[in-house]
């Protein structure tokens, strides 16, 4: 099981105190799902599924990727109430109970992060008026940029998931 996985989720935008830009997407350490203030056992189940499959150290896994891997969302009913878990994670992140990276992603990048890995997103370029199709390559590029930003922001150290973490499901 690779260490230092990260979990990305989109949420309703908010403006942090003294912030100039809205935050509409957040990245936390995957182990934050084991925090005692996250709905359990749902968070632990999501943590378990997050660590399945071909993951690499330092990888950012969007909620949409988990949804895709859980039969396009059909598996959520047996796995977790993901909406409640995301609400809990956002509260932890906003009030400093864990480290996080709050992002104000532009609409296209956010749409790519909220879509399954092989989904195509179509948008209208406001400069040209032309329809543009964005797919897996553009999604991978956004994740690569976010990974680079996370590494730079954290100066080589992992995000702190919070205190008193519960044991992982093995």
């Amino acid at each position: 099981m690779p260490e230092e996985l990260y979990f990305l989720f989109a949420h309703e935008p908010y403006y942090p105190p003294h912030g100039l830009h809205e935050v509409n997407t957040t990245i936390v350490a995957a182990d934050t799902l084991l925090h005692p203030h996250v709905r359990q056992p749902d968070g632990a189940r999501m943590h378990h599924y997050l660590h399945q499959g071909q993951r690499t150290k330092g990888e950012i896994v969007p909620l949409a990727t988990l949804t895709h891997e859980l039969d396009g969302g059909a598996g959520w009913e047996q796995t977790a109430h993901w909406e409640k878990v995301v609400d809990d994670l956002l509260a932890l992140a906003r009030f400093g109970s864990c480290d996080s990276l709050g992002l104000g992603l532009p609409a296209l990048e956010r749409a790519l992060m909220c879509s399954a890995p092989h989904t195509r997103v179509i948008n209208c370029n406001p400069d040209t008026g032309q329809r543009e199709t964005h797919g897996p390559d553009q999604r991978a590029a956004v994740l690569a940029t976010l990974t680079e930003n996370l590494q730079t922001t954290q100066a080589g150290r992992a995000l702190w998931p919070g205190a008193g973490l519960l044991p992982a499901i093995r």
Side-chain angles (χ1 to χ4, degrees):
M1 170 178 355
E3 297 177 15
E4 294 184 28
L5 287 182
Y6 299 96
F7 182 58
L8 176 146
F9 55 95
H11 48 77
E12 289 295 320
Y14 70 90
Y15 285 87
H18 312 294
L20 300 176
H21 302 285
E22 78 173 21
V23 174
N24 59 25
T25 308
T26 299
I27 298 173
V28 296
D31 285 353
T32 309
L33 290 160
L34 301 172
H35 196 284
H37 292 133
V38 170
R39 180 185 174 113
Q40 298 297 341
D42 299 51
R45 287 186 192 129
M46 287 174 67
H47 180 270
H48 175 75
Y49 282 103
L50 189 70
H51 283 84
Q52 303 301 302
Q54 302 294 322
R55 311 270 194 240
T56 58
K57 182 178 179 178
E59 182 175 351
I60 298 171
V61 182
L63 174 63
T65 299
L66 279 185
T67 299
H68 171 74
E69 293 171 355
L70 288 167
D71 294 327
W76 278 124
E77 189 172 318
Q78 296 80 30
T79 304
H81 194 295
W82 66 266
E83 295 99 334
K84 298 273 189 202
V85 170
V86 165
D87 287 346
D88 292 344
L89 289 172
L90 184 57
L92 289 172
R94 286 189 70 180
F95 299 109
S97 297
C98 69
D99 286 345
S100 65
L101 180 59
L103 306 164
L105 292 182
L108 177 59
E109 291 179 4
R110 188 165 187 239
L112 288 166
M113 293 301 97
C114 292
S115 300
H118 304 292
T119 301
R120 300 209 178 278
V121 173
I122 300 171
N123 76 319
C124 181
N125 183 323
D127 295 329
T128 65
Q130 299 294 312
R131 288 176 30 154
E132 298 175 339
T133 302
H134 305 272
D137 291 341
Q138 289 84 6
R139 185 179 194 266
V142 171
L143 281 169
T145 299
L146 293 177
T147 300
E148 185 178 305
N149 291 345
L150 179 63
Q151 291 170 350
T152 300
T153 301
Q154 295 305 311
R157 70 173 183 86
L159 294 176
W160 175 63
L165 301 181
L166 302 171
I169 297 173
R170 303 284 175 196

